[in-house]
């Protein structure tokens, strides 16, 4: 908790509460400097890869390495634990191993992935998606934040060449196993620590409604083509479509031009949809899309739907999961509806996740919380796991 306290003032959001730390913004760059200093104080070899991810090595980098870590960025107005807990726990797990006199027989590393939440550029797990080739560098370079700054420009300002980004077989080839510790983002644990079994299929879709901008007072209701009406109805359609364990969420709506006394000319709306598998997730999106087209037609508007990111169901490596659970004395395994860099890496290397209990189930909000004793148990569990995998 002391390490989390060290970064508690970085990226505080006075308007939303909590933290707003996004890829290559001032707060995230300050956190990267903090991590680099902490890792070097532990005599770790710190080096970035060409996609902006930070690596801290115990031992000579090489194939078969056991890697842990997470991310330091947040959603807008996020909590203190989502991301940083995994990074802090990794540093402290290394401390535990060294204090116990342990010397790994395989290289060990901590990785900090950039822009995991997609809070700035709209694509989640961007650092790991670039590294694995799931997102093409030319696509990433053109992603734009709310201020009109492209990802390529932000990366260049941070010292990276956006045209050298992309699938990194050298970095991937070094990873023999990846274990990410994360605060649990629901109420699925009744013990301090568990392991992940799977991640729901999930993605983000952008709905752009276009109509006719006009005067709020001078335009009769019957003469309007107001895109805000079909956009608002999609919020309710999303709730209706989320059945049988599916999730559908509209968390962001942006009208243009956004004046109080102006009928919007266009409205952008973002849908987050998740379900147990690809078929059900896409069925939810199809149902909402069909409804959106009907709503738009009724108002004399048009709608365009764009898939911005997508990840199919992830089933974590069963052998690695069971091996870790056994080494920890038989901790429970549970699925999660939240996406993670570990989920992206799972298609390429043996991957597992440790969860630390969340007593309230609140995440992606300022009230996100974990007990100090459970966080300490997570550090011990991660240290035990790393020792088990590198004997």
């Amino acid at each position: 908790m002391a390490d989390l306290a060290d970064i508690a003032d970085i990226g505080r959001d006075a308007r939303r509460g909590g933290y707003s730390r996004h890829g290559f913004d001032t707060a995230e760059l300050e956190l990267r400097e903090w991590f680099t200093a902490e890792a070097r104080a532990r005599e770790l070899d710190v080096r970035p890869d060409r996609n902006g991810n930070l690596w801290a090595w115990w031992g000579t980098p090489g194939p078969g390495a056991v890697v842990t870590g997470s991310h330091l960025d947040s959603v807008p107005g996020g909590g203190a634990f989502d991301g940083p807990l995994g990074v802090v726990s990794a540093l402290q797990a290394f401390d535990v191993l060294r204090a116990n006199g342990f010397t790994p027989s395989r290289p060990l590393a901590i990785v900090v992935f950039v822009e995991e939440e997609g809070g700035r550029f709209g694509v989640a797990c961007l650092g790991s998606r670039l590294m694995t080739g799931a997102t093409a560098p030319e696509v990433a370079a053109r992603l734009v934040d709310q201020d009109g700054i492209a990802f390529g420009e932000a990366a260049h300002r941070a010292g990276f060449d956006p045209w050298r980004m992309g699938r990194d077989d050298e970095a991937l080839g070094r990873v023999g196993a990846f274990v990410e510790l994360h605060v649990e983002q629901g109420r699925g644990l009744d013990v301090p620590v568990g392991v992940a079994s799977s991640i729901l299929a999930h993605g983000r879709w952008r709905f752009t409604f276009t109509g006719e901008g006009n005067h709020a007072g001078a335009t009769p209701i019957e003469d309007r083509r107001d895109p805000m009406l079909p956009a608002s109805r999609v919020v309710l359609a999303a709730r209706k479509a989320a059945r049988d364990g599916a999730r559908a969420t509209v968390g962001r709506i942006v009208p243009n031009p956004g004046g109080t006394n102006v009928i919007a000319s266009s409205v952008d709306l973002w849908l987050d949809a998740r379900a147990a598998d690809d078929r059900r997730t896409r069925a939810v999106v199809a149902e909402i899309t069909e409804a959106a087209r009907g709503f738009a037609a009724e108002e004399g508007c048009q709608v365009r739907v764009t898939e911005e990111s997508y990840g199919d169901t992830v089933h974590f490596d069963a052998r690695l999961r069971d091996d870790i659970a056994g080494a920890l004395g038989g901790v429970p395994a549970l699925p999660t509806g939240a996406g993670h860099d570990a989920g992206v890496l799972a298609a390429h290397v043996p991957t597992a996740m440790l969860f630390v209990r969340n007593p309230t189930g609140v995440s992606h909000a300022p009230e996100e919380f974990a007990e100090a004793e459970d966080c300490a148990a997570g550090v011990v569990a991660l240290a035990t796991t790393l020792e088990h995998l590198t004997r």
Side-chain angles (χ1 to χ4, degrees), residues 37-86:
E38 289 293 318
R40 286 178 175 162
R42 291 166 168 82
E43 300 182 342
L44 304 178
D45 178 15
V46 183
R47 56 183 73 182
D49 64 23
R50 54 193 173 93
N51 290 302
N53 308 308
L54 281 175
W55 298 74
W57 288 90
W58 178 357
T60 303
V66 175
V67 181
T68 186
S70 193
H71 60 97
L72 291 169
D73 66 307
S74 74
V75 298
F81 295 84
D82 182 358
L85 180 64

Side-chain angles (χ1 to χ4, degrees), residues 195-215:
V195 295
S197 58
S198 61
I199 296 176
L200 296 181
H202 63 282
R204 300 180 184 186
W205 288 261
R206 180 175 182 167
F207 289 65
T208 300
F209 294 89
T210 55
E212 182 180 68
N214 216 324
H215 196 291

Side-chain angles (χ1 to χ4, degrees), residues 120 163 217 264 297 326-327:
R120 182 175 183 185
W163 303 113

Side-chain angles (χ1 to χ4, degrees), residues 107-132:
L108 268 173
I110 303 170
V111 61
V112 177
F113 287 106
V114 69
E115 188 69 350
E116 193 269 356
E117 298 289 4
R120 182 175 183 185
F121 297 102
V123 175
C125 301
L126 192 54
S128 56
R129 289 178 65 87
L130 281 166
M131 187 179 78
T132 59

